[in-house]
């Protein structure tokens, strides 16, 4: 168990194949699933996530954008550390909520900040902010899911804009939102367990 969060380490994400990682993802709801379950993801829907969880969806290879996202995680993290004077460390594990076994997440980095304490760094290889300089809602939901699993109180969303400008913003844990999110995720997970598909 890590000393800086209460999420349970299930397995190292560096020691398993992509196929094994997909199998672990299907054991619960991850942070990338949360926006789709809530109906606010541009990439997925409750029905598409349901199909994936019960093994109906075809297992596709990562897109080139996803591959570049992983490649760029380290340099974006390094630049973030230089810009903020914060330390960011890897947490290469699939993490599980200590009480809700179906609630999982993978973290890009954990931030060590002497003033705010440990937080989460969510990294994007694109501009994660809208025209009002507010993080896009699906990304904020991902962060809140991660904060729920780990018990941490804050996180930072950082992105590399057009490969030449780093932008970031800090966000606090929102317990009232997390409570509602967990209720919706639990309803969804019970559907998965009972094989009752959500409405299209």
């Amino acid at each position: 168990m890590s000393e800086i969060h209460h999420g349970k380490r299930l397995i190292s994400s560096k020691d398993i194949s992509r196929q094994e990682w997909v199998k672990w993802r299907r054991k619960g709801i991850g942070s990338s699933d949360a926006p789709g379950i809530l109906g606010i993801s541009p990439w997925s829907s409750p029905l598409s996530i349901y199909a994936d969880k019960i093994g109906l969806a075809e297992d596709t290879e990562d897109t080139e954008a996803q591959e570049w996202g992983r490649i760029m995680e380290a340099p974006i993290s390094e630049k973030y550390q230089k810009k903020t004077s914060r330390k960011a460390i890897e947490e290469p594990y699939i993490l599980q909520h200590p009480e809700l076994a179906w609630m999982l997440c993978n973290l890009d980095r954990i931030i060590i900040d002497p003033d705010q304490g440990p937080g989460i760094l969510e990294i994007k290889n694109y501009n994660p902010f809208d025209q009002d300089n507010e993080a896009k809602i699906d990304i904020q939901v991902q962060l809140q899911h991660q904060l729920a699993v780990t018990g941490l109180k804050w996180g930072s969303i950082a992105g590399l804009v057009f490969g030449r400008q780093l932008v970031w913003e800090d966000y606090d844990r929102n317990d009232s939102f997390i409570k509602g999110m967990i209720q919706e995720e639990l309803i969804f997970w019970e559907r998965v367990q009972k094989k009752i598909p959500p409405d299209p």
Side-chain angles (χ1 to χ4, degrees), residues 65-106:
Q66 290 171 325
E67 289 178 5
W68 276 110
R70 279 195 297 276
I71 292 168
M72 293 302 294
E73 258 187 33
I76 293 173
S77 173
E78 289 173 13
K79 188 67 172 179
Y80 176 87
Q81 293 178 74
K82 290 179 181 178
K83 286 279 191 178
T84 62
S85 299
R86 293 166 170 167
K87 184 178 180 181
I89 60 175
E90 288 190 69
E91 177 70 4
Y93 296 91
I94 296 174
L95 301 177
Q96 180 185 56
H97 191 287
E99 297 173 0
L100 305 173
W102 50 267
M103 200 170 189
L104 311 173
C105 75
N106 289 91

Side-chain angles (χ1 to χ4, degrees), residues 114-193:
D115 299 320
Q116 299 189 75
I120 291 170
L121 178 58
E122 176 65 20
I123 297 171
K124 300 297 181 185
N125 187 35
Y126 58 85
N127 186 359
F129 298 95
D130 60 25
Q131 293 179 342
D132 298 321
N133 295 319
E134 189 74 19
K136 295 172 183 176
I137 188 65
D138 57 313
I139 303 172
Q140 290 194 49
V141 169
Q142 287 183 24
L143 179 62
Q144 292 298 326
H145 180 101
Q146 293 165 358
L147 292 171
V149 172
T150 61
L152 297 177
K153 301 300 182 185
W154 70 284
S156 194
I157 295 171
L160 183 62
V161 183
F162 299 124
R164 61 175 182 258
Q165 180 189 5
L166 182 72
V167 291
W168 73 91
E169 191 68 47
D170 294 346
Y171 288 88
D172 292 329
R173 179 189 178 99
N174 186 329
D175 284 316
S176 60
F177 173 81
I178 286 174
K179 182 178 179 181
M181 177 184 67
I182 288 176
Q183 290 175 341
E184 291 298 317
E185 291 182 351
L186 178 57
I187 291 170
F188 177 86
W189 190 244
E190 288 175 345
R191 281 180 169 272
V192 171
Q193 299 303 295

Side-chain angles (χ1 to χ4, degrees), residues 8-25:
K8 179 182 177 182
R9 290 173 169 173
L10 291 180
I11 191 168
S12 170
S13 53
K14 287 189 172 182
D15 296 335
I16 56 176
S17 66
R18 187 185 184 282
Q19 190 175 20
E20 289 174 307
W21 179 78
V22 169
K23 288 180 180 179
W24 276 98
R25 279 186 66 248

Side-chain angles (χ1 to χ4, degrees), residues 45-60:
S45 68
L47 189 58
S48 69
I49 294 172
Y50 170 86
D52 176 63
K53 295 303 178 186
I54 66 170
L56 288 179
E58 185 177 341
D59 185 17
T60 58

